[in-house]
Amino acid sequence: MKVLIVYYSMFGHVHRMAQAVAEGVGRVRGAEAVLRRVPETLSAEILKKMGATEAQEAMSSVPVCSVEELASADAVIFGTPTRFGNMCGQMRQFLDATGQLWAKGALVGKVGSVFASSATQHGGQESTILSFHTTLLHQGFIIVGLPYTFQGQTRMDEITGCSPYGASTIAGGKGERMPSENELEAARFQGEHVATIAAKLKG
Ligand SMILES: Cc1cc2nc3c(=O)[nH]c(=O)nc-3n(C[C@H](O)[C@H](O)[C@H](O)COP(=O)(O)O)c2cc1C
């Protein structure tokens, strides 16, 4: 059973969460986690101006996803940074290239799930994940979130991302905060949860 983890990350926060999602998928017997990045749409010059060159190099060993690859997966877990409360443009462009898959109903009945990152605590993690779900529903995905059985999302003793819609991390205004252990555990939980449900559906 193949669980694709498809993400975009500019400074490495979503990338770190994606690695934790993959660890969680790996907890389920027979489940293979496959990490993929969506294609970059910005030039190297722009990425340099944004201070993302080093992080991009660190992620360069992760292969770039093709849209056809989505059809070969039993479940797809998408990761995106928040851009004005929505998914990033790189992810939008990737999803807008899936029209052929939509026409064939190639993704209908697969498990779909989303995790996110934003700079600020209330900067749109939930709206990013929920608005992402709209596209998944058009494609016929069965949406899975982060149930409250992951109790780390209720904690009040530290600042943390995460909601019942999906795992998330708070990167800080300058990207200075990497995912906390609680947020990473949420990502692992989500990966395991999606893989468990996908395994049941596969029968
Ligand atoms: C154009 C743009 C728009 C952004 N919009 C938001 C936003 O609405 N809310 C927020 O909290 N952070 C926002 N951010 C910050 C990113 O979400 C943050 O850099 C990202 O979550 C870091 O994850 P990454 O390192 O994986 O890219 C924005 C960043 C950019 C470049």
Side-chain angles (χ1 to χ4, degrees):
M1 192 190 59
K2 183 169 161 184
V3 180
L4 259 186
I5 301 154
V6 182
Y7 68 94
Y8 178 78
S9 183
M10 185 168 275
F11 304 108
H13 302 82
V14 174
H15 170 72
R16 182 69 194 94
M17 291 289 277
Q19 289 174 322
V21 170
E23 286 165 31
V25 170
R27 290 173 179 169
V28 178
R29 200 151 59 95
E32 182 201 2
V34 178
L35 277 173
R36 293 285 184 264
R37 294 179 297 145
V38 298
E40 183 56 84
T41 59
L42 300 175
S43 67
E45 193 188 349
I46 298 282
L47 288 169
K48 192 174 171 198
K49 278 188 183 160
M50 296 184 83
T53 306
E54 202 180 312
Q56 291 294 313
E57 276 164 15
M59 294 179 268
S60 61
S61 63
V62 180
V64 172
C65 199
S66 69
V67 287
E68 293 76 25
E69 216 172 343
L70 295 174
S72 69
D74 298 288
V76 187
I77 308 175
F78 296 91
T80 179
T82 291
R83 298 279 186 263
F84 307 119
N86 277 289
M87 71 174 79
C88 65
Q90 290 84 347
M91 182 61 77
R92 184 71 264 162
Q93 191 149 326
F94 178 77
L95 292 173
D96 285 357
T98 60
Q100 287 294 322
L101 298 178
W102 171 82
K104 289 187 280 191
L107 305 178
V108 174
K110 296 182 189 297
V111 178
S113 195
V114 184
F115 63 98
S117 167
S118 69
T120 58
Q121 198 178 351
H122 304 292
Q125 303 190 339
E126 296 182 11
S127 61
T128 297
I129 295 174
L130 287 171
S131 56
F132 202 126
H133 286 171
T134 310
T135 300
L136 298 190
L137 287 167
H138 277 254
Q139 287 283 11
F141 277 98
I142 298 164
I143 290 170
V144 168
L146 180 71
Y148 275 107
T149 42
F150 173 69
Q151 291 187 352
Q153 67 183 297
T154 66
R155 62 191 299 174
M156 296 290 281
D157 59 332
E158 65 175 46
I159 291 175
T160 187
C162 303
S163 71
Y165 315 123
S168 53
T169 184
I170 303 160
K174 293 184 177 135
E176 70 277 16
R177 180 182 182 274
M178 284 310 277
S180 67
E181 186 45 43
N182 191 53
E183 292 161 348
L184 292 171
E185 193 47 33
R188 292 183 197 105
F189 189 104
Q190 190 170 347
E192 182 176 5
H193 186 51
V194 167
T196 303
I197 291 169
K200 281 184 188 162
L201 285 172
K202 207 171 164 79

